Amino acid sequence: MIMSDTFIDPSSASHPDSVLRLSSAVHRFAIPYINPKDHISFEESFKTCSQNHSKTIAAMHQADNRRREIKAAMASGKVIHTSLSSSLKEYIPVINQILLSCKFQPEVARLDKHLVFSWSSGIEYNKYNKSKEFSDSEALMFEFVLSIATYALSESNIGCDSCVDGDFPKASRQFAKTAGIFQYLGEDVLPNWMANSMQHAEMENETLAETRVGVCVAMTHLYMAMAQQMAVATLLAKPGTPNYALLGKLSSGIAAELETFVTTFRSKSPVHMSRIDSSFLTLVTFLINIQHSLGLYFLGRSLWLNCEYGVAIAAISEATVAARTRTTPTGRGCKLNQYAMRKPAND
């Protein structure tokens, strides 16, 4: 038996690879889809009122071209989200321009042909019901809101791709961008639309999740949590000893954001919460417990580095309990159901 005098400092031990995998686990949402049978044309619908205005004709032509590009990108076997986001980024300002024209000159905005916009939801996508149910509306605001929401979810899918590739800083930026877009919808666009609507109850029950204030506010918290997850993964992926105190605070913040997402969704839009994939909610519940556990684990590592060994052992012991599979429905730990991380169909 060979004895060694070399002392191995436990504090220098690297974190397990599983910590990085758990920290970077995120959900990929499907995107909303335009109904393939939707063949609207802004040029045809606004033909009379725009015939003497070259700039208006050009705007209508541009809107039709961008919308055709978006539909073509959605109809492809595998959506290229960078291309889709680029088309949406050009389409949204044009729709906003048409909206403003109709708002300030309603007497001029007379349609030669009805505009009926038809979209399916991405947030309400359910793996047990893969058939897309389309919702129709003649409101330009409906088209505007769904276009912005699609842009947000397309950007989040780019973030998911970056996460898979191990580019966590880019993924963090993409998720933060998505959170900002949903915040814009939930705090600006949708409240203004709802303030001028006389059919709140009917819209709450019948329209898509992306058009509800409560859903967009909740999604803001979800993507803020995902952006922070990527920040944690970035620190863990770097060589050397990470700042465990910072990681502990970030993990606790992630758990808090995820809890706020669930409570906001449940309280402000229960109708739409019942429509989303139940396995996604299982994942969120799992992640909340895991992030609480990781927060305690990182706290324990930080305390150990500061030579507070007793408290460090207690913190890591609590982390173990928080990560343990529950033995009873009301017990501590993670409630694990079978959940397959998946890519949405046609995505």
Side-chain angles (χ1 to χ4, degrees), residues 28 33 72-81 161 343-347:
R28 182 191 293 266
Y33 277 79
M74 291 176 173
S76 62
K78 178 177 174 61
V79 177
I80 307 300
H81 289 286
D161 291 338
K343 291 185 179 180
N346 300 322
D347 213 345

Side-chain angles (χ1 to χ4, degrees), residues 228 232 235 243-257 291-292 294-299 302:
Q228 286 185 226
V232 169
L235 290 171
N243 185 336
Y244 285 116
L246 175 59
L247 288 172
K249 291 178 181 178
L250 286 171
S251 295
S252 297
I254 293 166
E257 289 284 6
Q291 291 298 335
H292 278 305
L294 288 174
L296 290 166
Y297 168 76
F298 293 135
L299 172 63
S302 175

Side-chain angles (χ1 to χ4, degrees), residues 7 15 19 75 106 108 121 141 162 174 195 198 201 211 226 228 273:
F7 174 73
H15 49 266
V19 172
V108 179
S121 175
M141 277 299 295
S162 298
Q174 290 298 130
M198 304 298 292
T211 64
M226 290 168 66
Q228 286 185 226
M273 191 171 194

